[in-house]
Every structure is written in C-alpha cells, then in structure tokens.
C-alpha cells in the first residue's frame, strides 16, 4: 500500500533462495542456513517457482546495506561459506539493489506476429530491444495473448521470464535474450491479440506495449495417421503372453 520497495526474510528450508514479486518491487529472501544440516538438492521434494531466480544449498548469511537521503535504496548481498564438502570464504554469491526512485524501462513495441496467415504451429513472438534511461539492464519480460484486445483479464497465454533462474546448480535462463518467446498453443484460422512489457533489474516494469492483432492461417500439421485405439485407450483388453 505504501508504494515503497519492500522485503521480507524467512527460513524453514535450509538453504538460500531469493525471489521477487511479479507485480511489486518486493523481495522474498530465505536467509538460511547459518548452521545445522543443509537441505541438499534432491534430498527432499523441490519446486522451481516462477518468482525465485536463485537457490543454493550452502551455508551463509545475508547483508543489507541501506542508503537514505534524496535517493533512498537498499542493496542485498548474499555471502556463502560453502557446504560440508566445499569451503567458501565469504564468497559473494548474489547481489541486488532496489531503489525507491527508479524510472521505468521504455514502453516496448510488439514486432511479430502481426497481419494475417500466421502459421499457428509454433510462433516466435518478438519485441523490440530493451532500453532504460537509468541504464539498468533487462531483468524480466511478461507476455500475454488474448482473444480480445480490450480484455486481457483472462489471457489464453500468460508467461513471464526472468533473466536468470539458478536451480539445481544450473541457470535455466542462460542465453534467453528476453525479447522473443515461442508459443505453440494457437489454433488455426483464429484472430488473436498480444502485448508485452519489460522489467529492469531494479524491478520497475514498463507500460504494456500497444496491443498487436494477428490472424492465424491453416496448420501444416497432419492428423495422426498412426492411431491405434486399443493402445491409446489403455491396455485393459490386452492379453500378455510370456
């Protein structure tokens, strides 16, 4: 309600995780673990949440540096001590700065698809290059597709991707330039409308792009010519012989 940057810290899971709310410049920080047993990857059930961009099964601590004055901001840093097998000497593993005064990125432009007779089978949506007057880097992109340009309240496609996603020791977002997105759920001979918005690494969102309309043509995919109802409907009627 205040409109100010915010942050909350929590524990329970014995490892470090940092995420950010999609619709507010709010950070969610799992500060663990300073001691005890670590929750190593695969030891328990794991879930790759859209909001979280870095998770580590290491000992460590979090430091927050706060600057007041005319340009208030805070910087969060994660320092690691490694784990039971690999020692790290206060290694800086994560850092993010959130400013109260942060100009939004430039409103993006939807480039493709537009027009008619778009192949619906696998469409690569494309926006223009990211620009931010504060020289912040591209932090995330949010894509939406609707059947109505005047109503995106229930989009048929709603996807946001962040610039990094460290999960199971792998950055699953590596090499994603955040200005294109493959979509393979479109119907043939159908009218659609889409839009996109960009976020900087300080968590400020741009305005949504102006909606872009397009119409799909006929699909190039053939019907399933190898149907086997007895197999595709289950194996209850099968007789197994050894």
């Amino acid at each position: 309600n205040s409109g100010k940057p915010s942050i909350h810290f929590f524990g329970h899971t014995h490892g470090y995780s940092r995420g950010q709310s999609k619709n507010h410049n709010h950070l969610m920080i799992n500060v663990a673990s300073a001691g005890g047993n670590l929750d190593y990857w695969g030891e328990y059930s794991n879930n790759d949440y859209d909001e979280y961009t870095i998770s580590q099964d290491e000992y460590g601590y979090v430091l927050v540096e706060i600057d007041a004055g005319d340009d208030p901001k805070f910087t969060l840093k994660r320092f690691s001590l490694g784990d039971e097998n690999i020692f790290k000497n206060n290694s800086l593993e994560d850092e993010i700065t959130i400013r109260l005064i942060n100009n939004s990125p430039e409103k993006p432009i939807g480039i493709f698809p537009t027009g008619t007779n778009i192949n619906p089978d696998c469409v690569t949506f494309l926006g223009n290059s990211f620009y931010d007057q504060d020289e912040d880097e591209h932090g995330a992109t949010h894509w939406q597709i609707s059947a109505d340009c005047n109503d995106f309240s229930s989009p048929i496609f709603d996807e946001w991707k962040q610039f990094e996603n460290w999960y199971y020791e792998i950055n699953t977002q590596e090499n994603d330039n955040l200005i294109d997105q493959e979509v393979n759920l479109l119907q043939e001979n159908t009218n659609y409308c889409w839009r996109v918005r960009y976020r900087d690494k300080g968590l400020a969102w741009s305005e949504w792009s102006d909606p872009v309309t397009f119409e799909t043509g006929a699909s190039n995919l053939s019907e399933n010519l190898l149907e086997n109802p007895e197999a595709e409907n289950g194996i209850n009627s099968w007789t197994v012989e050894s």
Side-chain angles (χ1 to χ4, degrees):
N1 291 334
S2 70
K4 297 179 180 180
S6 55
I7 185 172
H8 79 269
F9 303 97
F10 64 97
H12 185 68
T13 300
H14 294 187
Y16 172 72
S17 288
R18 190 254 295 172
Q20 35 277 334
S21 168
K22 181 169 69 173
N23 292 316
H24 182 62
N25 49 354
H26 175 75
L27 294 181
M28 303 169 285
I29 310 297
N30 184 350
V31 298
S33 181
N37 292 322
L38 291 173
D39 287 343
Y40 289 108
W41 287 114
E43 188 173 1
Y44 301 98
S45 297
N46 303 127
N47 206 342
D48 188 8
Y49 297 102
D50 291 341
E51 292 82 3
Y52 284 82
T53 54
I54 181 170
S55 295
Q56 295 176 324
D57 54 350
E58 297 177 351
Y59 295 109
Y61 58 95
V62 169
L63 175 68
V64 180
E65 300 171 336
I66 301 173
D67 293 329
D70 295 333
D71 185 20
K73 59 187 176 182
F74 66 81
T75 299
L76 179 138
K77 298 179 180 180
R78 167 68 176 188
F79 293 95
S80 174
L81 301 175
D83 57 26
E84 295 172 273
N85 302 308
I86 300 177
F87 173 72
K88 293 183 179 180
N89 186 14
N90 297 292
S91 172
L92 179 62
E93 297 291 327
D94 188 26
E95 181 176 355
I96 186 172
T97 297
I98 307 299
R99 308 189 304 275
L100 175 62
I101 304 170
N102 181 13
N103 293 303
S104 297
E106 189 175 85
K107 177 180 175 180
I109 299 172
I111 297 176
F112 185 84
T114 182
T116 60
N117 201 32
I118 302 298
N119 188 322
D121 300 331
C122 184
V123 181
T124 299
F125 285 67
L126 178 65
N128 68 325
S129 297
F130 175 86
Y131 175 76
D132 187 279
Q133 61 177 307
D134 297 326
E135 298 185 351
D136 291 333
E137 295 180 335
H138 199 165
T141 299
H142 189 184
W143 307 87
Q144 286 187 334
I145 305 174
S146 174
D148 185 352
C149 281
N150 297 314
D151 185 7
F152 281 87
S153 60
S154 299
I156 62 172
F157 181 83
D158 188 291
E159 184 87 14
W160 73 302
K161 297 285 185 64
Q162 306 199 63
F163 78 97
E164 64 177 349
N165 181 43
W166 288 96
Y167 186 74
Y168 258 90
E169 313 293 346
I170 296 174
N171 181 11
T172 64
Q173 278 297 94
E174 188 176 13
N175 300 322
D176 188 344
N177 60 21
L178 298 177
I179 64 170
D180 57 19
Q181 174 67 42
E182 285 190 0
V183 178
N184 55 14
L185 51 69
L186 303 178
Q187 302 297 314
E188 60 182 354
N189 302 316
T190 304
N191 291 309
Y192 291 103
C193 191
W194 68 281
R195 64 181 186 174
V196 62
R197 62 175 176 163
Y198 293 158
R199 194 181 208 181
D200 64 28
K201 289 186 178 179
L203 305 189
W205 281 108
S206 70
E207 296 181 48
W208 285 102
S209 65
D210 293 332
V212 180
T213 60
F214 69 98
E215 180 182 0
T216 57
S219 171
N220 289 332
L221 300 179
S222 63
E223 295 183 1
N224 185 0
L225 303 179
L226 301 175
E227 289 186 355
N228 184 347
E230 291 298 325
E232 295 179 2
N233 294 332
I235 62 173
N236 293 332
S237 61
W238 288 21
T239 300
V240 178
E241 297 181 357
S242 59

